[in-house]
Amino acid sequence: MLAQRMRIAGMEQLVAQARTALAEEPHPWAALVRFFRDALTDQGTGGPLLPLVGGRLPATDEVRTAAERLRAALDDLVDGAQRAGVLRADFTSADIPLLLEHLTPQIPVTGERATALHLRYLDLVLAGLRTPDAGQLMPPHGPAAQWDELRQLWNAPESGG
């Protein structure tokens, strides 16, 4: 089933991004931040982990295996950041897939602006996930959304007549 293959591809892409971040970033917080940024900016061929419409998909052996690999990779990211004292203790690796779903809504703007907004909200979320004593907060990426921009997103263009 195509939806299952897309879900598996999405999980495999996230595993690769997590493993790359862990291997290439010297600090656990930097690895976590890099993973989230890579996941938001490099959607690649991976599809959504949750069905876009209509119910749940059956869990095949291949899906269960991919999900276990994903869990292990995300556990490594979260555990490392928590052991370093930079990530809230109440954040779990299971929060990551749902957080990514929340941070990547379909926004009817150009790809570049959508990416900038996704990264801005990621920065705001990451500031909330960081432990208070873990260092200075970084300013969020990019400019804030403006109400005029939101109205343009919400409303179809008016016809001239």
Side-chain angles (χ1 to χ4, degrees):
M1 163 185 268
L2 179 60
Q4 290 290 41
R5 288 193 300 273
M6 288 179 63
R7 191 165 85 170
I8 291 166
M11 285 188 274
E12 289 173 350
Q13 182 173 346
L14 290 175
V15 168
Q17 290 165 330
R19 294 293 176 212
T20 298
L22 285 164
E24 295 180 2
E25 295 298 332
H27 189 272
W29 182 256
L32 186 67
V33 169
R34 176 173 173 178
F35 164 77
F36 273 114
R37 287 186 182 282
D38 289 351
L40 290 179
T41 59
D42 184 22
Q43 300 285 318
T45 59
L49 299 182
L50 299 176
L52 294 176
V53 287
R56 299 177 181 149
L57 299 172
T60 64
D61 288 341
E62 191 176 11
V63 167
R64 281 189 280 277
T65 299
E68 282 306 312
R69 284 194 304 268
L70 178 59
R71 180 181 180 163
L74 298 181
D75 280 349
D76 289 346
L77 276 171
V78 169
D79 293 346
Q82 287 172 335
R83 277 193 311 275
V86 294
L87 178 63
R88 299 169 55 123
D90 59 352
F91 185 77
T92 71
S93 63
D95 287 319
I96 292 175
L98 288 174
L99 184 55
L100 287 172
E101 293 289 334
H102 285 285
L103 289 170
T104 55
Q106 295 299 312
I107 303 172
V109 295
T110 63
E112 187 174 303
R113 180 60 177 145
T115 297
L117 286 170
H118 291 158
L119 290 174
R120 175 181 172 72
Y121 300 123
L122 170 63
D123 290 342
L124 292 168
V125 167
L126 289 172
L129 291 176
R130 195 166 172 109
T131 56
D133 60 344
Q136 289 191 322
L137 297 177
M138 299 297 294
H141 181 89
Q146 301 296 313
W147 282 105
D148 285 343
E149 184 177 22
L150 289 178
R151 280 190 287 277
Q152 290 174 14
L153 297 177
W154 293 334
N155 303 315
E158 293 184 23
S159 60

